[in-house]
Amino acid sequence: MPQWLQWSLIIAGAIAITVLLGFIRRQISILADNRRRKQKAEAFQAKRRQDMIDSIRVIAMAVEENQIEYSEACLRIKGLLDHVAPELMERAPFRVFMEVYEQLRHMPTHQARQDTEVRFVEKMDKERFEVEERHADEIRRAATAIRNHAF
């Protein structure tokens, strides 16, 4: 084999090695970036979940201290449990949050409530207070149970 061919093959091999090393470095960098992004997203999700659990506990304490209307507490806890532990709403005593939600979900809230006729709002409030009264003991027991629940 002529010497010029040998040197050409050696140079081509060195170039191929250099290109492959650059490709490997780039892939390692991409993998490291993906790992960092994944860890950051997992940390964000864990913090978000813990914040929701803390919110559930604060609302439950407010129920125990009679600082919040039971209907509002049920709606808020149900919404948070949908993200944290939806399976809890199928079990006693937590089922009451879903039951109250189901009975009240047709009622307007926020701006829709403000835009609704006063007599209709009063009628809805009466219905809401009846639901609260009917489930008051269950709601208090569920609030205590959820505040002490290990998520």
Side-chain angles (χ1 to χ4, degrees):
M1 184 181 292
Q3 191 173 9
W4 66 268
L5 183 59
Q6 289 176 352
W7 280 109
S8 296
L9 292 174
I10 290 171
I11 291 172
I15 290 172
I17 289 171
T18 304
V19 168
L20 288 173
L21 283 174
F23 176 76
I24 291 170
R25 257 194 208 134
R26 197 173 113 240
Q27 290 301 96
I28 289 173
S29 175
I30 289 170
L31 287 173
D33 287 345
N34 287 343
R35 196 174 314 119
R36 273 193 300 277
R37 265 191 238 111
K38 184 179 177 184
Q39 288 172 342
K40 188 176 178 180
E42 287 171 354
F44 174 78
Q45 290 298 330
K47 179 169 179 2
R48 185 170 177 247
R49 184 176 194 281
Q50 187 57 51
D51 289 346
M52 284 190 254
I53 291 169
D54 292 344
S55 293
I56 289 169
R57 290 196 171 119
V58 167
I59 294 167
M61 281 191 288
V63 168
E64 293 173 331
E65 303 279 329
N66 288 321
Q67 296 176 345
I68 189 172
E69 291 182 352
Y70 290 169
S71 56
E72 181 178 353
C74 289
L75 296 176
R76 289 176 183 264
I77 289 174
K78 189 264 183 206
L80 291 165
L81 282 177
D82 280 344
H83 298 287
V84 175
E87 68 280 356
L88 282 181
M89 288 183 290
E90 298 170 6
R91 299 190 333 224
F94 312 116
R95 192 176 303 121
V96 70
F97 299 129
M98 179 61 97
E99 290 171 6
V100 171
Y101 169 81
E102 289 295 329
Q103 293 174 17
L104 301 179
R105 75 181 193 178
H106 67 281
M107 295 184 182
T109 60
H110 303 86
Q111 189 62 41
R113 180 180 168 89
Q114 292 175 2
D115 295 342
T116 303
E117 187 181 324
V118 175
R119 277 192 276 161
F120 185 69
V121 169
E122 289 171 355
K123 180 183 171 197
M124 291 291 194
D125 283 345
K126 184 178 182 233
E127 181 182 342
R128 184 170 54 88
F129 294 140
E130 288 171 0
V131 170
E132 285 181 8
E133 189 177 321
R134 204 169 37 244
H135 295 285
D137 291 335
E138 283 180 273
I139 293 170
R140 279 193 297 275
R141 279 193 298 275
T144 300
I146 198 113
R147 187 174 55 81
N148 295 315
H149 183 73
F151 287 93

